[in-house]
Amino acid sequence: MAEHLRCDVAVIGAGPAGLSAAVAAAGQGARVVIVDASPQAGGQIWRNDVRFGAPAAARALREQVMVSGAMVLSRHEVVAASGGQLLLNGDAGAATLEYGNLVLATGARELLLPFPGWTLPGVTGAGGAQALAKQGAPMQGRRVVLAGSGPLLLASAYTLKRHGAEVVGIHEQATRQQLHAFAAALWRWPAKVMQAVQLRTALAGVPYHCDSHVLRALGDARVEAVELQRGNRTQTIACDQLACGFGLVPNIELAQLLSCDLHAQGRHAAVRVDEFQRTSVAGIFAAGEACGIGGVDCATVEGSIAGLAAANASGAARRLFPRRARARHFAALLGEHFALGDAVRRLADADTLVCRCEDVRFSDLAGMHDARAIKLKTRCGMGPCQGRICGPALAEIVDLPRTGSRPPVFPVPLNVLAALHAGTPTDSSSGVMK
Ligand SMILES: Cc1cc2nc3c(=O)[nH]c(=O)nc-3n(C[C@H](O)[C@H](O)[C@H](O)COP(=O)(O)OP(=O)(O)OC[C@H]3O[C@@H](n4cnc5c(N)ncnc54)[C@H](O)[C@@H]3O)c2cc1C
């Protein structure tokens, strides 16, 4: 029989937001369980690096979680939810988790925009390339081009260089004027200025171009070169890897499943929360990038507020509001100055695959503007990723509205699904909170 767990506060996601929420709630005496699909806590920014370990901030927060008494269930995906219970799929099979309050800290994923050649081996997201390097993929001597938009390009370039890659160039789609305006506003965040200086120093010698974007990846069996638009001229650069980062999209599937209200975030959606990080559903809170792309500082403080509020410590939560306001102000600055230009939304040609799972080409969508019709006719979004990749891409390139989410959030064996409807099993001896 599936293991059944109970807790006062369940936290989904062990990134900066989830870990902070767990520490805050446990600090108020709540029995906390954190669930995360990854093998190790840390989320995207603090993904464990097999060669260099985790940064000091991540180690410190993990340590706080350990001493807080919160229970961490790594390698467990939350795949469905029903009547105050979550269905988890882990290494040992299904488990159910019954909670008093719930904090959704499910983070964000990369926005991948289709362009000719984007499915060639050797073409990845910028964060994907970073994750590969951290997980030990050989990078020594690989010529890597980074293209897209935002600070993740720099963070990824830093990781790749640290792992021995030759970063041939970073191509930022924002214009020089946008970058100057961003730099001019940065003085209000001295710690961010310091970080930017450190990154640029570590990347000394790596060319950084603005007003530059990818046009196509070239190669037969794998990527051999990239064609770029730089201002009003094109340029072809030889490379072994092309890492493209066009920004991030909030992971809202679980919130949708739980009927939480959403709000628009550009052409995408994020979980709507009030000042205490409460969603529209009683007892469910949300924090971090699931509520909107805000970066690590925003995620951390929102997580603390959500954890405190979920443990009924609203006074302590309120004291963190000014810190959150400052972090959100910085996030808004990033969003404004690295907004995607229309040029990167027009890269796909008729033959470009827009849905990799189901081999749907851009021309297959001709004349259709309704997500349901597209699904029925082409199977676009019906493959293993369940529209996680092609959905946001189509929202950008043809303004296709987002569709709902249905269980399971991730593909699972049928016997796992059955556990949610098998009734509440007897508590197993291990891992039971009560
Ligand atoms: C690929 C990638 C790389 C990034 N690299 C950097 C970087 O180098 N520097 C930087 O400043 N910012 C980076 N970011 C931005 C970064 O995500 C945020 O700044 C910060 O990590 C957000 O914290 P969070 O806690 O909101 O979400 P995350 O850190 O994304 O954590 C969310 C966690 O939720 C888990 N999760 C989601 N859904 C489920 C589910 N259904 N079941 C179980 N677990 C689930 C995920 O496994 C993940 O660990 C990156 C983002 C991405 C997508």
Side-chain angles (χ1 to χ4, degrees), residues 13 15-17 36-37 43-45 76 78 105-107 130 152 288-289 295-296 410:
D36 197 292
Q44 297 290 1
I45 180 171
H76 279 75
V78 179
T106 47
Q130 185 193 48
L152 183 54
E289 304 225 297
V296 62
F410 298 109

Side-chain angles (χ1 to χ4, degrees), residues 357-368:
C357 301
E358 297 289 337
D359 279 353
V360 181
R361 289 171 197 281
F362 193 35
S363 54
D364 296 333
L365 310 185
M368 288 188 280

Side-chain angles (χ1 to χ4, degrees), residues 365-375 394 397-401:
L365 310 185
M368 288 188 280
H369 302 286
D370 171 62
R372 189 174 153 76
I374 288 177
K375 254 189 182 182
L394 290 178
I397 64 180
V398 291
D399 218 356
L400 200 66

Side-chain angles (χ1 to χ4, degrees), residues 12-18 35-38 42-47 76-79 105-110 127-128 130-131 134 152 155-156 159 248 251 254 287-290 294-296 299 409-410:
I12 314 307
V35 185
D36 197 292
S38 308
Q44 297 290 1
I45 180 171
W46 295 330
R47 184 186 292 276
H76 279 75
E77 291 171 337
V78 179
V79 294
T106 47
R109 58 180 176 273
E110 285 195 273
Q130 185 193 48
K134 286 184 175 180
L152 183 54
S156 176
T159 306
L248 304 177
N251 289 326
L254 212 48
E289 304 225 297
V296 62
V409 175
F410 298 109

Side-chain angles (χ1 to χ4, degrees), residues 250-270:
N251 289 326
I252 54 166
E253 291 72 19
L254 212 48
Q256 278 181 302
L257 215 61
L258 290 155
S259 305
C260 300
D261 283 355
L262 305 175
H263 67 94
Q265 160 119 132
R267 297 184 184 213
H268 310 284

